[in-house]
């Protein structure tokens, strides 16, 4: 029999109910928008389900099909990992560099800040279509200018070896979001630390390495983690670029090779959409979604570790 007085137990119960009441919006959101979809995805990954008939148990057949027989999964996964490593790294470096440059400008900083931020506001479909036309190997102005100076321009989105770098250039053009974040963090670095470093004889690189970078390391970590998550969901830009570059802009009855050219722009979200909403193979789509979720969680956990190098031991 409990020795806790009844009045104390009632008080604790009321405190627990009050706490649950305050947490209820978050708990409901977690259950409805995360736990239920995750459990359903795991359940349907072992089922044959087309969205119309009742699901039937097939065991590991969906997993075997995706990992062994699907011709698009592994190319899409390789492309996604390539974009995650190269695109995210370059966006962080480029965004930090632009932020540093604008914070050092004495006059016209507002103009350059607006100039670099405006591309971020462009709709993804319109921005991608514009880039494909600009980088058109035959009639695009970029290759035309390169040809005038004696340089043979690449095929860009029509070449499998240049399609992902072209998407990376597009991502660097829309760098305004990271630029603003880094500018805010750079302006928040204590000036006293810079003055102390100058008195100690530190040059520009040393001030950046030992003063700027340690102070903005949480922002760098935030940018890398959010960039990895966004790249894992990269769908619109590569799909639009592949369709426009292949000549399939719209209309019915047109043949389109997924990931044109040669599956080089195929990403994992495209495979999920193809399996789930075009082939109505919900079970296989759930398998790909679970693989993507596991990879995103693994990379995020790896980056969040203190020894990853972004955060110091004192943070």
């Amino acid at each position: 029999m409990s020795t806790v007085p009844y009045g104390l137990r009632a008080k604790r119960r009321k405190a627990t109910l009050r706490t649950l009441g305050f947490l209820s919006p978050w708990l409901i959101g977690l259950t409805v928008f995360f736990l239920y979809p995750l459990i359903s995805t795991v359940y349907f990954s072992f089922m044959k389900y087309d969205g119309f008939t009742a699901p039937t148990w097939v065991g590991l057949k969906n997993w075997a099909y995706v990992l062994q027989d699907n011709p698009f999964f592994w190319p899409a996964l390789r492309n996604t990992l390539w974009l995650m490593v190269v695109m995210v790294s370059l966006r962080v470096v480029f965004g930090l560099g632009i932020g540093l440059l604008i914070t050092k400008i004495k006059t016209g900083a507002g103009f350059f800040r607006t100039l670099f931020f405006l591309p971020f506001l462009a709709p993804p479909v319109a921005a991608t279509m514009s880039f494909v036309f600009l980088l058109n190997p035959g009639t695009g102005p970029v290759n035309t200018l390169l040809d005038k100076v004696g340089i043979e321009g690449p095929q860009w989105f029509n070449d499998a070896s240049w399609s992902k770098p072209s998407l990376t250039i597009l991502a660097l053009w829309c760098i305004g979001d990271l630029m603003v974040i880094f500018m805010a963090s750079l302006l928040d670095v204590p000036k006293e630390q810079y003055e102390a470093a100058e008195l100690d004889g530190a040059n520009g690189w040393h001030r950046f390495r030992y003063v700027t970078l340690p102070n903005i390391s949480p922002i760098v970590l935030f940018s890398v983690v959010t960039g990895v998550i966004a790249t894992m969901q990269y769908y619109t830009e590569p799909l639009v670029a592949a369709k426009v570059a292949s000549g399939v802009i719209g209309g019915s009855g047109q043949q389109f090779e997924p990931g044109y050219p040669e599956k080089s722009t195929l990403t994992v979200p495209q495979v999920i959409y193809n399996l789930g909403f075009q082939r109505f193979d919900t079970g296989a789509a759930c398998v790909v979604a679970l693989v993507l979720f596991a990879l995103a969680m693994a990379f995020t956990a790896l980056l969040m570790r203190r020894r990853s190098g972004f955060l110091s031991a004192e943070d």
Side-chain angles (χ1 to χ4, degrees):
M1 185 175 180
S2 176
T3 58
V4 180
Y6 174 79
L8 183 58
R9 292 201 305 271
K11 186 176 181 180
R12 289 178 178 176
R13 189 181 303 111
K14 288 182 180 179
T16 301
L17 292 175
R18 188 185 308 114
T19 303
L20 289 175
F22 283 115
L23 288 174
S24 59
W26 179 83
L27 292 173
I28 293 173
L30 177 68
T31 302
V32 174
F33 297 109
F34 180 74
L35 292 180
Y36 173 72
L38 180 60
I39 295 172
S40 298
T41 304
V42 174
Y43 170 76
F44 284 117
S45 69
F46 299 101
M47 297 288 177
K48 179 178 177 59
Y49 182 54
D50 58 6
F52 301 99
T53 59
T56 56
W57 176 266
V58 294
L60 297 176
K61 287 185 178 180
N62 290 326
W63 291 84
Y65 167 70
V66 169
L67 299 178
Q68 297 178 5
D69 301 326
N70 188 280
F72 301 114
F73 173 72
W74 289 109
L77 184 60
R78 286 193 294 268
N79 293 335
T80 302
L81 294 177
W82 189 99
L83 292 169
M84 186 189 68
V85 174
V86 178
M87 183 186 293
V88 173
S89 301
L90 289 179
R91 273 181 55 85
V92 171
V93 172
F94 195 65
L96 178 57
I98 296 298
L100 278 169
L101 180 64
I102 294 181
T103 55
K104 300 299 182 182
I105 295 177
K106 301 300 182 181
T107 57
F111 169 77
F112 287 105
R113 185 166 56 242
T114 304
L115 182 66
F116 281 104
F117 186 75
L118 278 178
F120 174 70
L121 301 178
V125 174
T128 305
M129 293 181 66
S130 301
F131 247 74
V132 175
F133 285 117
L134 287 173
L135 299 179
N136 186 288
T139 60
V142 174
N143 276 14
T144 301
L145 292 174
L146 291 176
D147 184 63
K148 288 184 177 181
V149 297
I151 300 176
E152 184 180 357
Q155 296 296 305
W156 301 110
F157 287 102
N158 294 89
D159 186 350
S161 60
W162 275 95
S163 57
K164 288 189 287 293
S166 301
L167 289 171
T168 304
I169 295 174
L170 171 61
L172 295 179
W173 181 63
C174 303
I175 200 66
D177 54 338
L178 287 185
M179 178 202 69
V180 170
I181 293 174
F182 280 123
M183 281 183 58
S185 63
L186 289 168
L187 294 174
D188 198 43
V189 178
K191 295 183 179 180
E192 296 80 5
Q193 296 185 15
Y194 287 121
E195 296 172 354
E198 289 181 5
L199 291 175
D200 289 339
N203 56 27
W205 165 249
H206 289 154
R207 291 197 297 272
F208 173 78
R209 171 67 180 84
Y210 297 105
V211 178
T212 304
L213 200 55
N215 278 281
I216 68 171
S217 57
I219 307 302
V220 175
L221 176 62
F222 169 80
S223 302
V224 173
V225 171
T226 54
V228 167
I229 296 173
T231 307
M232 289 286 184
Q233 304 171 17
Y234 201 47
Y235 176 82
T236 303
E237 289 85 346
L239 179 64
V240 173
K243 284 194 171 186
V244 177
S246 65
V248 182
I249 300 179
S252 59
Q254 293 179 304
Q255 296 295 324
F256 171 64
E257 175 194 353
Y260 175 87
E262 301 175 17
K263 303 177 184 177
S264 61
T265 57
L266 193 65
T267 58
V268 176
Q270 293 183 51
V271 177
I272 296 175
Y273 179 83
N274 175 262
L275 291 172
F277 298 99
Q278 292 179 320
R279 300 178 182 271
F280 299 103
D281 192 349
T282 304
C286 288
V287 171
V288 181
L290 287 174
V291 172
L292 187 63
F293 172 76
L295 288 175
M297 291 294 293
F299 282 115
T300 302
L302 180 65
L303 291 169
M304 292 296 291
R305 290 177 59 121
R306 290 179 179 270
R307 68 184 64 181
S308 63
F310 290 102
L311 296 176
S312 60
E314 291 80 9
D315 291 331

